[in-house]
Amino acid sequence: MKILMVTGYKPMELNIFKEDDSRIQFIKASLEKRIREFLEEGLEWVIISGQMGVELWAADVVMDLKEEYPVQLGVFPPFENQDSRWPEMLKEKFEELSMTADFFKPIYKGDYQGPYQFRTKDMWLIDKSDACLLLMDEEFPGSTKYFYETLQKTAKDYPVFTITPQDIDDIVEDLRMQDPNYWD
């Protein structure tokens, strides 16, 4: 596998409303663990659409991993100005990402035209990647259900690796056990 697509929940679907929410560190640690495993096996690119939440957190992880691995990050929003209705802090983060990613190009020129742009984005990212890393709880799929349904309909031999709530709980426990005070 050379190209991995990463996607998952938006922050509000996880009841995360601030970028300094402590739960983000656990999600990032889960993403890092999985992406690092793929890098050890030869992964070269991580691609995202740049939506807020899991995708932007994955971008942070990939940018940090660049210090250790020759990984590249591609960002392919469904349309220009995807961040136009986002909170200011996330807009700034997205703008910085658009300048620091190894490749950045919206799939459609111009602003939002209709839901077909999101469906096209999903299909395009599936087509351009070798596999997907998806943070999703099947019992509460939220907006990831649309992407997951697209996967089910279109990609027969397309590997989907998931990060589940249990995976995140395991990371939380691992990090807790690394704290010397945990054992007192």
Side-chain angles (χ1 to χ4, degrees), residues 100-119:
T100 57
D102 296 291
F103 196 86
F104 180 91
K105 184 174 183 182
I107 294 172
Y108 284 99
K109 289 194 178 291
D111 292 334
Y112 176 76
Q113 300 293 314
Y116 70 90
Q117 291 172 304
F118 293 109
R119 287 189 297 274

Side-chain angles (χ1 to χ4, degrees), residues 129-140:
S129 60
D130 301 318
C132 176
L133 178 58
L134 176 63
L135 192 149
M136 183 179 93
D137 179 351
E138 287 191 38
E139 290 183 39
F140 306 101

Side-chain angles (χ1 to χ4, degrees), residues 136-152:
M136 183 179 93
D137 179 351
E138 287 191 38
E139 290 183 39
F140 306 101
S143 65
T144 60
K145 80 175 184 179
Y146 300 109
F147 176 75
Y148 193 67
E149 287 170 358
T150 300
L151 276 174
Q152 304 292 56

Side-chain angles (χ1 to χ4, degrees), residues 6-167:
V6 180
T7 193
Y9 294 109
K10 295 175 181 76
M12 60 287 276
E13 293 176 298
L14 299 168
N15 290 322
I16 295 175
F17 298 98
K18 294 183 178 178
E19 278 294 295
D20 62 355
D21 190 303
S22 62
R23 293 172 292 172
I24 295 172
Q25 72 178 331
F26 303 122
I27 294 169
K28 284 183 173 182
S30 298
L31 289 164
E32 179 183 346
K33 179 181 179 198
R34 296 301 291 277
I35 293 170
R36 187 178 292 275
E37 290 168 1
F38 296 128
L39 288 167
E40 293 291 334
E41 296 171 8
L43 180 67
E44 297 174 3
W45 280 87
V46 172
I47 61 173
I48 60 173
S49 70
Q51 75 181 18
M52 65 175 108
V54 169
E55 291 190 23
L56 288 183
W57 301 328
D60 290 341
V61 167
V62 170
M63 297 308 269
D64 289 344
L65 287 170
K66 283 175 155 292
E67 295 175 16
E68 297 175 55
Y69 298 92
V71 63
Q72 298 192 69
L73 177 66
V75 182
F76 303 93
F79 47 85
E80 294 172 337
N81 304 314
Q82 167 178 260
D83 60 333
S84 64
R85 294 179 155 181
W86 292 8
E88 197 58 42
M89 189 167 67
L90 289 175
K91 277 185 183 183
E92 290 172 17
K93 187 173 182 174
F94 184 75
E95 186 174 318
E96 181 182 332
L97 178 62
S98 72
M99 293 184 279
T100 57
D102 296 291
F103 196 86
F104 180 91
K105 184 174 183 182
I107 294 172
Y108 284 99
K109 289 194 178 291
D111 292 334
Y112 176 76
Q113 300 293 314
Y116 70 90
Q117 291 172 304
F118 293 109
R119 287 189 297 274
T120 301
K121 176 235 352 163
D122 290 346
M123 294 293 296
W124 191 91
L125 289 169
I126 292 167
D127 186 54
K128 299 298 182 192
S129 60
D130 301 318
C132 176
L133 178 58
L134 176 63
L135 192 149
M136 183 179 93
D137 179 351
E138 287 191 38
E139 290 183 39
F140 306 101
S143 65
T144 60
K145 80 175 184 179
Y146 300 109
F147 176 75
Y148 193 67
E149 287 170 358
T150 300
L151 276 174
Q152 304 292 56
K153 292 177 192 170
T154 60
K156 300 293 182 221
D157 294 325
Y158 183 83
V160 178
F161 302 95
T162 57
I163 295 176
T164 66
Q166 184 59 52
D167 296 325

